[in-house]
Amino acid sequence: MAVEDPTAEHGLKLTIKDYPFANDGLVLWDAIKQWVRDYVNHYYPDPSLVESDKELQAWWTEVRTKGHADKKDEPWWPVMKTPEDLIHVLTTIIWVTAGHHAAVNFGQYVYAGYFPNRPTIARTNMPTEDPSDEEFKNFLHKPEIALLKCFPSQIQATKVMAVLDVLSSHSPDEEYLGDQMEPSWTENPIIKAAFKRFNGRLKELEGIIDGRNTNLNLKNRTGAGVVPYELLKPFSKPGVTGMGVPNSISI
């Protein structure tokens, strides 16, 4: 979906230019990475400190050998020797548990709450599967009847809608990425300033997304019948909103 390109914004050239998840996600990724970079560089000013930090190295070993025991011997694991290594690992973890999860989770009800968009079961065969002359004749005469027989029943659809509503809801006490500063950070002026910059970038991202959703040239985000893409807007009110990026995986 993308190729590395140092001349492109964010260092990547998208194969599909009008790709809302990728375009918004890259802005969020850069914001997360800069916040992590500011934090790591403050506490590890000397590159050798990362490799000599026994507690950090023990954590990374546990992640690989205990958290992913079935993959512990794979050759693709990143090393943990420099601040850049740590920045990459932490940015990836934060992105997967915050941005990526928000994008695939909190839009479920908005899309699939209207069950014809994503039926969870087909109760009949397709018309071309072992058709009888009578069934095929009825299908051609009133295809909507065949479709309704194939769709989930009302009770089946209602149960799925209820589950998706719960999965897609933000709780009233949800904590969003870059929203609330940890008390210990307020005591460190360098980290406090870095967090405020991070918070500012996230608010800027909200404006970027709003602007993109009014751009008539972006056919995957605006126009007749197109739901504006807001899944990576960082902040949200409680409930089903189709936006909001919590601090970690939260449903």
mmCIF file of all heavy atoms in Angstrom, residues 71-109:
data_model
loop_
_atom_site.group_PDB
_atom_site.id
_atom_site.type_symbol
_atom_site.label_atom_id
_atom_site.label_comp_id
_atom_site.label_asym_id
_atom_site.label_seq_id
_atom_site.Cartn_x
_atom_site.Cartn_y
_atom_site.Cartn_z
ATOM 1 N N LYS A 71 7.041 -16.824 18.756
ATOM 2 C CA LYS A 71 7.806 -16.095 17.745
ATOM 3 C C LYS A 71 9.184 -15.659 18.256
ATOM 4 O O LYS A 71 9.873 -14.883 17.607
ATOM 5 C CB LYS A 71 7.035 -14.848 17.294
ATOM 6 C CG LYS A 71 5.665 -15.126 16.707
ATOM 7 C CD LYS A 71 5.753 -15.817 15.366
ATOM 8 C CE LYS A 71 4.381 -15.988 14.747
ATOM 9 N NZ LYS A 71 4.447 -16.688 13.440
ATOM 10 N N LYS A 72 9.584 -16.161 19.408
ATOM 11 C CA LYS A 72 10.784 -15.646 20.058
ATOM 12 C C LYS A 72 12.066 -15.841 19.266
ATOM 13 O O LYS A 72 13.033 -15.090 19.431
ATOM 14 C CB LYS A 72 10.948 -16.272 21.446
ATOM 15 C CG LYS A 72 11.151 -17.771 21.463
ATOM 16 C CD LYS A 72 11.203 -18.295 22.897
ATOM 17 C CE LYS A 72 11.360 -19.808 22.950
ATOM 18 N NZ LYS A 72 12.661 -20.250 22.426
ATOM 19 N N ASP A 73 12.108 -16.820 18.374
ATOM 20 C CA ASP A 73 13.325 -17.093 17.610
ATOM 21 C C ASP A 73 13.301 -16.511 16.199
ATOM 22 O O ASP A 73 14.202 -16.784 15.397
ATOM 23 C CB ASP A 73 13.552 -18.611 17.527
ATOM 24 C CG ASP A 73 13.810 -19.236 18.897
ATOM 25 O OD1 ASP A 73 14.510 -18.605 19.700
ATOM 26 O OD2 ASP A 73 13.300 -20.348 19.148
ATOM 27 N N GLU A 74 12.274 -15.712 15.900
ATOM 28 C CA GLU A 74 12.188 -15.119 14.561
ATOM 29 C C GLU A 74 13.309 -14.097 14.356
ATOM 30 O O GLU A 74 13.687 -13.392 15.297
ATOM 31 C CB GLU A 74 10.829 -14.435 14.366
ATOM 32 C CG GLU A 74 9.643 -15.385 14.385
ATOM 33 C CD GLU A 74 9.631 -16.306 13.177
ATOM 34 O OE1 GLU A 74 10.287 -15.974 12.169
ATOM 35 O OE2 GLU A 74 8.959 -17.347 13.240
ATOM 36 N N PRO A 75 13.846 -14.002 13.148
ATOM 37 C CA PRO A 75 14.982 -13.108 12.893
ATOM 38 C C PRO A 75 14.593 -11.638 12.750
ATOM 39 O O PRO A 75 15.471 -10.767 12.740
ATOM 40 C CB PRO A 75 15.543 -13.639 11.568
ATOM 41 C CG PRO A 75 14.359 -14.234 10.870
ATOM 42 C CD PRO A 75 13.499 -14.816 11.966
ATOM 43 N N TRP A 76 13.295 -11.336 12.678
ATOM 44 C CA TRP A 76 12.882 -9.968 12.391
ATOM 45 C C TRP A 76 12.709 -9.091 13.622
ATOM 46 O O TRP A 76 12.385 -7.916 13.512
ATOM 47 C CB TRP A 76 11.585 -9.948 11.559
ATOM 48 C CG TRP A 76 10.541 -10.951 11.956
ATOM 49 C CD1 TRP A 76 10.204 -12.079 11.266
ATOM 50 C CD2 TRP A 76 9.678 -10.917 13.107
ATOM 51 N NE1 TRP A 76 9.184 -12.746 11.901
ATOM 52 C CE2 TRP A 76 8.834 -12.061 13.029
ATOM 53 C CE3 TRP A 76 9.519 -10.046 14.178
ATOM 54 C CZ2 TRP A 76 7.865 -12.349 13.993
ATOM 55 C CZ3 TRP A 76 8.563 -10.322 15.145
ATOM 56 C CH2 TRP A 76 7.756 -11.461 15.049
ATOM 57 N N TRP A 77 12.932 -9.644 14.813
ATOM 58 C CA TRP A 77 12.762 -8.822 16.012
ATOM 59 C C TRP A 77 13.750 -7.651 16.012
ATOM 60 O O TRP A 77 14.940 -7.833 15.764
ATOM 61 C CB TRP A 77 12.994 -9.658 17.273
ATOM 62 C CG TRP A 77 11.824 -10.488 17.668
ATOM 63 C CD1 TRP A 77 11.669 -11.828 17.471
ATOM 64 C CD2 TRP A 77 10.632 -10.041 18.324
ATOM 65 N NE1 TRP A 77 10.459 -12.252 17.963
ATOM 66 C CE2 TRP A 77 9.799 -11.176 18.491
ATOM 67 C CE3 TRP A 77 10.192 -8.798 18.780
ATOM 68 C CZ2 TRP A 77 8.545 -11.092 19.105
ATOM 69 C CZ3 TRP A 77 8.941 -8.715 19.381
ATOM 70 C CH2 TRP A 77 8.136 -9.863 19.542
ATOM 71 N N PRO A 78 13.291 -6.434 16.310
ATOM 72 C CA PRO A 78 14.220 -5.295 16.420
ATOM 73 C C PRO A 78 15.178 -5.498 17.585
ATOM 74 O O PRO A 78 14.829 -6.125 18.596
ATOM 75 C CB PRO A 78 13.291 -4.101 16.684
ATOM 76 C CG PRO A 78 11.927 -4.553 16.269
ATOM 77 C CD PRO A 78 11.888 -6.026 16.508
ATOM 78 N N VAL A 79 16.363 -4.976 17.442
ATOM 79 C CA VAL A 79 17.314 -5.002 18.554
ATOM 80 C C VAL A 79 17.003 -3.820 19.469
ATOM 81 O O VAL A 79 16.246 -2.919 19.120
ATOM 82 C CB VAL A 79 18.769 -4.924 18.041
ATOM 83 C CG1 VAL A 79 19.101 -6.148 17.224
ATOM 84 C CG2 VAL A 79 18.990 -3.649 17.236
ATOM 85 N N MET A 80 17.589 -3.834 20.659
ATOM 86 C CA MET A 80 17.367 -2.757 21.618
ATOM 87 C C MET A 80 18.723 -2.288 22.139
ATOM 88 O O MET A 80 19.151 -2.628 23.236
ATOM 89 C CB MET A 80 16.482 -3.252 22.767
ATOM 90 C CG MET A 80 16.087 -2.161 23.752
ATOM 91 S SD MET A 80 14.989 -0.936 23.040
ATOM 92 C CE MET A 80 13.466 -1.849 22.916
ATOM 93 N N LYS A 81 19.406 -1.507 21.279
ATOM 94 C CA LYS A 81 20.751 -1.059 21.636
ATOM 95 C C LYS A 81 20.906 0.457 21.704
ATOM 96 O O LYS A 81 21.797 0.947 22.378
ATOM 97 C CB LYS A 81 21.765 -1.620 20.628
ATOM 98 C CG LYS A 81 21.907 -3.143 20.661
ATOM 99 C CD LYS A 81 22.981 -3.623 19.687
ATOM 100 C CE LYS A 81 23.164 -5.124 19.760
ATOM 101 N NZ LYS A 81 24.223 -5.604 18.823
ATOM 102 N N THR A 82 20.066 1.171 21.009
ATOM 103 C CA THR A 82 20.221 2.632 20.928
ATOM 104 C C THR A 82 18.890 3.318 21.226
ATOM 105 O O THR A 82 17.826 2.682 21.177
ATOM 106 C CB THR A 82 20.679 3.059 19.526
ATOM 107 O OG1 THR A 82 19.613 2.808 18.591
ATOM 108 C CG2 THR A 82 21.923 2.285 19.098
ATOM 109 N N PRO A 83 18.912 4.618 21.491
ATOM 110 C CA PRO A 83 17.652 5.358 21.654
ATOM 111 C C PRO A 83 16.736 5.236 20.437
ATOM 112 O O PRO A 83 15.512 5.151 20.591
ATOM 113 C CB PRO A 83 18.123 6.799 21.865
ATOM 114 C CG PRO A 83 19.466 6.665 22.504
ATOM 115 C CD PRO A 83 20.068 5.468 21.845
ATOM 116 N N GLU A 84 17.301 5.215 19.242
ATOM 117 C CA GLU A 84 16.469 5.075 18.036
ATOM 118 C C GLU A 84 15.733 3.737 18.026
ATOM 119 O O GLU A 84 14.587 3.663 17.592
ATOM 120 C CB GLU A 84 17.322 5.219 16.775
ATOM 121 C CG GLU A 84 17.655 6.650 16.408
ATOM 122 C CD GLU A 84 16.409 7.497 16.145
ATOM 123 O OE1 GLU A 84 15.474 6.995 15.482
ATOM 124 O OE2 GLU A 84 16.365 8.648 16.613
ATOM 125 N N ASP A 85 16.409 2.675 18.497
ATOM 126 C CA ASP A 85 15.749 1.372 18.600
ATOM 127 C C ASP A 85 14.559 1.455 19.548
ATOM 128 O O ASP A 85 13.466 0.961 19.253
ATOM 129 C CB ASP A 85 16.727 0.312 19.107
ATOM 130 C CG ASP A 85 17.889 0.068 18.159
ATOM 131 O OD1 ASP A 85 17.736 0.313 16.950
ATOM 132 O OD2 ASP A 85 18.958 -0.361 18.642
ATOM 133 N N LEU A 86 14.782 2.085 20.694
ATOM 134 C CA LEU A 86 13.720 2.203 21.694
ATOM 135 C C LEU A 86 12.578 3.073 21.182
ATOM 136 O O LEU A 86 11.399 2.751 21.388
ATOM 137 C CB LEU A 86 14.301 2.785 22.987
ATOM 138 C CG LEU A 86 13.320 2.989 24.154
ATOM 139 C CD1 LEU A 86 12.619 1.684 24.524
ATOM 140 C CD2 LEU A 86 14.058 3.566 25.365
ATOM 141 N N ILE A 87 12.900 4.145 20.492
ATOM 142 C CA ILE A 87 11.880 5.038 19.936
ATOM 143 C C ILE A 87 10.995 4.285 18.946
ATOM 144 O O ILE A 87 9.765 4.402 18.964
ATOM 145 C CB ILE A 87 12.540 6.256 19.260
ATOM 146 C CG1 ILE A 87 13.155 7.167 20.325
ATOM 147 C CG2 ILE A 87 11.541 7.029 18.402
ATOM 148 C CD1 ILE A 87 14.106 8.211 19.764
ATOM 149 N N HIS A 88 11.618 3.487 18.088
ATOM 150 C CA HIS A 88 10.854 2.723 17.099
ATOM 151 C C HIS A 88 9.931 1.710 17.768
ATOM 152 O O HIS A 88 8.750 1.586 17.391
ATOM 153 C CB HIS A 88 11.807 2.000 16.143
ATOM 154 C CG HIS A 88 11.115 1.108 15.165
ATOM 155 N ND1 HIS A 88 10.371 1.588 14.109
ATOM 156 C CD2 HIS A 88 11.022 -0.255 15.098
ATOM 157 C CE1 HIS A 88 9.870 0.577 13.430
ATOM 158 N NE2 HIS A 88 10.243 -0.551 14.003
ATOM 159 N N VAL A 89 10.440 0.997 18.766
ATOM 160 C CA VAL A 89 9.645 -0.030 19.442
ATOM 161 C C VAL A 89 8.463 0.610 20.176
ATOM 162 O O VAL A 89 7.315 0.149 20.057
ATOM 163 C CB VAL A 89 10.524 -0.826 20.423
ATOM 164 C CG1 VAL A 89 9.665 -1.655 21.377
ATOM 165 C CG2 VAL A 89 11.475 -1.738 19.666
ATOM 166 N N LEU A 90 8.715 1.663 20.935
ATOM 167 C CA LEU A 90 7.650 2.295 21.710
ATOM 168 C C LEU A 90 6.606 2.940 20.801
ATOM 169 O O LEU A 90 5.400 2.852 21.065
ATOM 170 C CB LEU A 90 8.241 3.345 22.652
ATOM 171 C CG LEU A 90 9.129 2.813 23.787
ATOM 172 C CD1 LEU A 90 9.653 3.966 24.638
ATOM 173 C CD2 LEU A 90 8.356 1.830 24.664
ATOM 174 N N THR A 91 7.052 3.576 19.727
ATOM 175 C CA THR A 91 6.107 4.184 18.790
ATOM 176 C C THR A 91 5.204 3.124 18.186
ATOM 177 O O THR A 91 3.983 3.323 18.067
ATOM 178 C CB THR A 91 6.856 4.925 17.668
ATOM 179 O OG1 THR A 91 7.680 5.945 18.240
ATOM 180 C CG2 THR A 91 5.876 5.571 16.690
ATOM 181 N N THR A 92 5.773 1.977 17.835
ATOM 182 C CA THR A 92 4.988 0.894 17.246
ATOM 183 C C THR A 92 3.956 0.360 18.231
ATOM 184 O O THR A 92 2.786 0.147 17.878
ATOM 185 C CB THR A 92 5.912 -0.252 16.784
ATOM 186 O OG1 THR A 92 6.846 0.254 15.821
ATOM 187 C CG2 THR A 92 5.106 -1.378 16.162
ATOM 188 N N ILE A 93 4.369 0.152 19.477
ATOM 189 C CA ILE A 93 3.454 -0.371 20.493
ATOM 190 C C ILE A 93 2.305 0.610 20.736
ATOM 191 O O ILE A 93 1.131 0.225 20.790
ATOM 192 C CB ILE A 93 4.208 -0.661 21.803
ATOM 193 C CG1 ILE A 93 5.157 -1.850 21.621
ATOM 194 C CG2 ILE A 93 3.225 -0.938 22.950
ATOM 195 C CD1 ILE A 93 6.043 -2.122 22.822
ATOM 196 N N ILE A 94 2.643 1.890 20.880
ATOM 197 C CA ILE A 94 1.606 2.900 21.125
ATOM 198 C C ILE A 94 0.659 2.994 19.935
ATOM 199 O O ILE A 94 -0.562 3.086 20.100
ATOM 200 C CB ILE A 94 2.248 4.265 21.426
ATOM 201 C CG1 ILE A 94 3.028 4.198 22.747
ATOM 202 C CG2 ILE A 94 1.190 5.365 21.494
ATOM 203 C CD1 ILE A 94 3.874 5.433 23.029
ATOM 204 N N TRP A 95 1.220 2.976 18.714
ATOM 205 C CA TRP A 95 0.383 3.068 17.522
ATOM 206 C C TRP A 95 -0.590 1.892 17.427
ATOM 207 O O TRP A 95 -1.782 2.081 17.185
ATOM 208 C CB TRP A 95 1.247 3.133 16.262
ATOM 209 C CG TRP A 95 0.487 2.758 15.029
ATOM 210 C CD1 TRP A 95 0.575 1.601 14.315
ATOM 211 C CD2 TRP A 95 -0.538 3.535 14.376
ATOM 212 N NE1 TRP A 95 -0.319 1.611 13.260
ATOM 213 C CE2 TRP A 95 -1.017 2.778 13.281
ATOM 214 C CE3 TRP A 95 -1.082 4.792 14.629
ATOM 215 C CZ2 TRP A 95 -2.015 3.246 12.434
ATOM 216 C CZ3 TRP A 95 -2.087 5.252 13.780
ATOM 217 C CH2 TRP A 95 -2.537 4.489 12.698
ATOM 218 N N VAL A 96 -0.098 0.667 17.647
ATOM 219 C CA VAL A 96 -0.950 -0.517 17.499
ATOM 220 C C VAL A 96 -2.071 -0.518 18.534
ATOM 221 O O VAL A 96 -3.233 -0.810 18.206
ATOM 222 C CB VAL A 96 -0.105 -1.805 17.609
ATOM 223 C CG1 VAL A 96 -1.005 -3.042 17.696
ATOM 224 C CG2 VAL A 96 0.835 -1.927 16.420
ATOM 225 N N THR A 97 -1.753 -0.190 19.782
ATOM 226 C CA THR A 97 -2.753 -0.268 20.847
ATOM 227 C C THR A 97 -3.641 0.966 20.928
ATOM 228 O O THR A 97 -4.691 0.923 21.575
ATOM 229 C CB THR A 97 -2.069 -0.475 22.211
ATOM 230 O OG1 THR A 97 -1.147 0.603 22.457
ATOM 231 C CG2 THR A 97 -1.317 -1.793 22.247
ATOM 232 N N ALA A 98 -3.248 2.044 20.274
ATOM 233 C CA ALA A 98 -4.046 3.275 20.323
ATOM 234 C C ALA A 98 -4.654 3.566 18.952
ATOM 235 O O ALA A 98 -5.836 3.303 18.706
ATOM 236 C CB ALA A 98 -3.183 4.442 20.802
ATOM 237 N N GLY A 99 -3.851 4.109 18.029
ATOM 238 C CA GLY A 99 -4.375 4.521 16.737
ATOM 239 C C GLY A 99 -4.961 3.396 15.905
ATOM 240 O O GLY A 99 -6.099 3.475 15.421
ATOM 241 N N HIS A 100 -4.197 2.327 15.724
ATOM 242 C CA HIS A 100 -4.666 1.232 14.861
ATOM 243 C C HIS A 100 -5.930 0.593 15.423
ATOM 244 O O HIS A 100 -6.901 0.351 14.699
ATOM 245 C CB HIS A 100 -3.569 0.181 14.698
ATOM 246 C CG HIS A 100 -3.957 -0.958 13.812
ATOM 247 N ND1 HIS A 100 -4.516 -2.117 14.303
ATOM 248 C CD2 HIS A 100 -3.903 -1.108 12.459
ATOM 249 C CE1 HIS A 100 -4.773 -2.943 13.303
ATOM 250 N NE2 HIS A 100 -4.419 -2.353 12.173
ATOM 251 N N HIS A 101 -5.930 0.324 16.731
ATOM 252 C CA HIS A 101 -7.104 -0.307 17.324
ATOM 253 C C HIS A 101 -8.323 0.602 17.244
ATOM 254 O O HIS A 101 -9.438 0.137 16.972
ATOM 255 C CB HIS A 101 -6.848 -0.691 18.778
ATOM 256 C CG HIS A 101 -8.041 -1.328 19.423
ATOM 257 N ND1 HIS A 101 -8.915 -0.633 20.229
ATOM 258 C CD2 HIS A 101 -8.534 -2.590 19.354
ATOM 259 C CE1 HIS A 101 -9.888 -1.434 20.625
ATOM 260 N NE2 HIS A 101 -9.675 -2.633 20.113
ATOM 261 N N ALA A 102 -8.133 1.892 17.466
ATOM 262 C CA ALA A 102 -9.259 2.823 17.381
ATOM 263 C C ALA A 102 -9.872 2.803 15.987
ATOM 264 O O ALA A 102 -11.105 2.840 15.828
ATOM 265 C CB ALA A 102 -8.793 4.240 17.734
ATOM 266 N N ALA A 103 -9.027 2.732 14.973
ATOM 267 C CA ALA A 103 -9.505 2.778 13.594
ATOM 268 C C ALA A 103 -10.312 1.535 13.217
ATOM 269 O O ALA A 103 -11.254 1.622 12.433
ATOM 270 C CB ALA A 103 -8.332 2.943 12.631
ATOM 271 N N VAL A 104 -9.955 0.383 13.764
ATOM 272 C CA VAL A 104 -10.665 -0.848 13.399
ATOM 273 C C VAL A 104 -11.812 -1.171 14.353
ATOM 274 O O VAL A 104 -12.648 -2.023 14.040
ATOM 275 C CB VAL A 104 -9.698 -2.060 13.325
ATOM 276 C CG1 VAL A 104 -8.625 -1.826 12.289
ATOM 277 C CG2 VAL A 104 -9.082 -2.360 14.690
ATOM 278 N N ASN A 105 -11.869 -0.506 15.502
ATOM 279 C CA ASN A 105 -12.881 -0.862 16.494
ATOM 280 C C ASN A 105 -14.048 0.115 16.580
ATOM 281 O O ASN A 105 -15.211 -0.285 16.515
ATOM 282 C CB ASN A 105 -12.245 -0.988 17.883
ATOM 283 C CG ASN A 105 -13.267 -1.393 18.938
ATOM 284 O OD1 ASN A 105 -13.732 -2.525 18.964
ATOM 285 N ND2 ASN A 105 -13.648 -0.450 19.794
ATOM 286 N N PHE A 106 -13.768 1.398 16.717
ATOM 287 C CA PHE A 106 -14.824 2.326 17.096
ATOM 288 C C PHE A 106 -15.730 2.748 15.941
ATOM 289 O O PHE A 106 -16.663 3.523 16.137
ATOM 290 C CB PHE A 106 -14.218 3.545 17.799
ATOM 291 C CG PHE A 106 -13.656 3.214 19.149
ATOM 292 C CD1 PHE A 106 -12.284 3.124 19.342
ATOM 293 C CD2 PHE A 106 -14.485 2.929 20.209
ATOM 294 C CE1 PHE A 106 -11.758 2.787 20.581
ATOM 295 C CE2 PHE A 106 -13.981 2.590 21.444
ATOM 296 C CZ PHE A 106 -12.609 2.514 21.639
ATOM 297 N N GLY A 107 -15.480 2.239 14.756
ATOM 298 C CA GLY A 107 -16.376 2.499 13.639
ATOM 299 C C GLY A 107 -17.290 1.333 13.324
ATOM 300 O O GLY A 107 -18.042 1.379 12.338
ATOM 301 N N GLN A 108 -17.255 0.292 14.157
ATOM 302 C CA GLN A 108 -18.015 -0.917 13.831
ATOM 303 C C GLN A 108 -19.521 -0.666 13.780
ATOM 304 O O GLN A 108 -20.200 -1.078 12.842
ATOM 305 C CB GLN A 108 -17.705 -2.028 14.839
ATOM 306 C CG GLN A 108 -16.302 -2.582 14.715
ATOM 307 C CD GLN A 108 -16.105 -3.814 15.584
ATOM 308 O OE1 GLN A 108 -16.463 -4.922 15.211
ATOM 309 N NE2 GLN A 108 -15.546 -3.607 16.759
ATOM 310 N N TYR A 109 -20.048 0.031 14.791
ATOM 311 C CA TYR A 109 -21.494 0.250 14.808
ATOM 312 C C TYR A 109 -21.915 1.219 13.704
ATOM 313 O O TYR A 109 -22.968 1.046 13.084
ATOM 314 C CB TYR A 109 -21.949 0.781 16.164
ATOM 315 C CG TYR A 109 -23.459 0.883 16.258
ATOM 316 C CD1 TYR A 109 -24.231 -0.233 16.533
ATOM 317 C CD2 TYR A 109 -24.105 2.101 16.036
ATOM 318 C CE1 TYR A 109 -25.613 -0.161 16.591
ATOM 319 C CE2 TYR A 109 -25.487 2.186 16.092
ATOM 320 C CZ TYR A 109 -26.240 1.054 16.369
ATOM 321 O OH TYR A 109 -27.606 1.135 16.419
#
